[in-house]
Amino acid sequence: MNAHKKNVTGTQPVPFYRPVGNECTLFETAHANGLALLLKGPTGCGKTRFVEHMAARLGRPLYTVACHDDLSAADLIGRYLLRGGETEWVDGPLTRAVREGAICYLDEIVEARKDVTVVLHPLTDSRRTLMIDRTGEELTAPPGFMLVASYNPGYQNILKRLKPSTRQRFLSIGFDFPDAVTETAVVSCESGLEESRVAPLVRLAGHIRALSGMDLEEGASTRLLIYAATLIAGGMPLEQALEAAVIEPLTDEPDIQQALRDLIAVVYG
């Protein structure tokens, strides 16, 4: 069965998240009205942290599923397993979320197999039901249940995209990297590095993102900036921190790596 994690709220502080628009209000309204929500945006721009923040804020358990090519409907719903010489039914994360009235977050939903979206359809309309064919159960989602999914539009191709019949079952929020002031505050808060030392990192990221789609498949994410700032705050020299947290994760091409080093030299003087 696919790897997933459950976060139980109420015992841990609300994860830090800095809103950039009305996304928190939209999430709360969607949750209150039993509506599914789709988050669209580049890798590392804060989609997962946003969901974790909102689940904690609403006091709901959160099941997070990292979707991949082999993720099937059975992985989400559950299956019979042999335990101690007996066969017993084991719920998958989606089924547990429905039973508990939790939030189920499907990260990078376009990576999952096509049979997954068929299972989701009854949960994303007025029925709000989940049919478990193998047990004959039909579960009706309680008021606290919410389905949230995300994907990166930049990675879409003709073989991996959501059908219009699926997309139109979700409300949708477009995410992007925050403005420089907000991103500086976020990276500083997450890493413990003072904002004056984070600001050049954010400027560097802006330059790198301008190269995305030309020499780089994707720009530097806010997540990578937090990693770099965390290393710097821990005492690692700047050059080593940027090599490990920015240059190496972004590309394997020696020429592009050197171009990034040259860009770092310009930004940091």
Side-chain angles (χ1 to χ4, degrees):
M1 191 172 292
N2 64 294
H4 67 275
K5 65 177 181 178
K6 176 187 178 182
N7 293 342
V8 180
T9 60
T11 59
Q12 298 179 355
V14 176
F16 174 76
Y17 176 78
R18 177 70 67 90
V20 296
N22 68 340
E23 66 268 30
C24 294
T25 300
L26 181 55
F27 193 106
E28 290 175 336
T29 304
H31 181 264
N33 289 276
L35 302 175
L37 185 62
L38 182 65
L39 312 179
K40 305 182 295 182
T43 300
C45 70
K47 301 187 296 297
T48 298
R49 172 55 65 89
F50 170 62
V51 178
E52 293 172 346
H53 171 84
M54 293 306 302
R57 184 162 152 174
L58 293 169
R60 305 310 306 162
L62 172 65
Y63 285 90
T64 299
V65 180
C67 298
H68 51 79
D69 289 339
D70 294 326
L71 183 75
S72 66
D75 291 323
L76 290 180
I77 295 174
R79 50 167 54 91
Y80 283 104
L81 296 177
L82 187 63
R83 290 185 173 178
E86 295 185 0
T87 301
E88 70 175 70
W89 173 261
V90 178
D91 285 338
L94 178 62
T95 302
R96 287 198 288 275
V98 172
R99 292 192 196 277
E100 298 174 19
I103 295 172
C104 185
Y105 174 46
L106 305 180
D107 188 18
E108 296 297 342
I109 188 173
V110 293
E111 298 295 332
R113 283 168 32 176
K114 297 300 181 185
D115 63 326
V116 167
T117 57
V118 176
V119 169
L120 300 179
H121 282 185
L123 278 171
T124 52
D125 59 27
S126 59
R127 292 171 288 178
R128 282 175 60 82
T129 57
L130 176 66
M131 185 65 192
I132 306 176
D133 292 332
R134 293 190 178 184
T135 65
E137 286 184 274
E138 184 176 39
L139 304 179
T140 298
F145 172 78
M146 182 180 183
L147 183 65
V148 184
S150 70
Y151 74 98
N152 181 351
Y155 284 162
Q156 281 200 108
N157 58 49
I158 195 168
L159 297 177
K160 289 187 176 181
R161 64 175 61 214
L162 288 180
K163 293 181 179 179
S165 60
T166 299
R167 289 170 61 103
Q168 293 187 29
R169 293 171 181 272
F170 290 81
L171 298 176
S172 187
I173 303 177
F175 276 69
D176 204 344
F177 299 113
D179 62 80
V181 173
T182 301
E183 190 165 32
T184 298
V186 168
V187 174
S188 178
C189 180
E190 289 291 296
S191 66
L193 187 66
E194 54 267 32
E195 291 193 9
S196 61
R197 300 179 68 190
V198 169
L201 276 175
V202 173
R203 287 199 302 273
L204 174 65
H207 290 299
I208 293 175
R209 289 165 190 163
L211 301 175
S212 179
M214 293 181 288
D215 296 324
L216 290 172
E217 290 184 5
E218 195 166 83
S221 67
T222 303
R223 181 186 297 121
L224 286 183
L225 297 187
I226 293 170
Y227 292 167
T230 299
L231 294 178
I232 295 168
M236 182 175 288
L238 176 68
E239 182 177 318
Q240 294 179 25
L242 294 180
E243 188 77 22
V246 177
I247 295 174
E248 289 291 346
L250 285 178
T251 181
D252 296 324
E253 298 295 328
D255 291 346
I256 301 177
Q257 288 182 345
Q258 186 56 50
L260 291 176
R261 294 184 188 103
D262 294 342
L263 182 58
I264 289 170
V266 171
V267 170
Y268 280 89

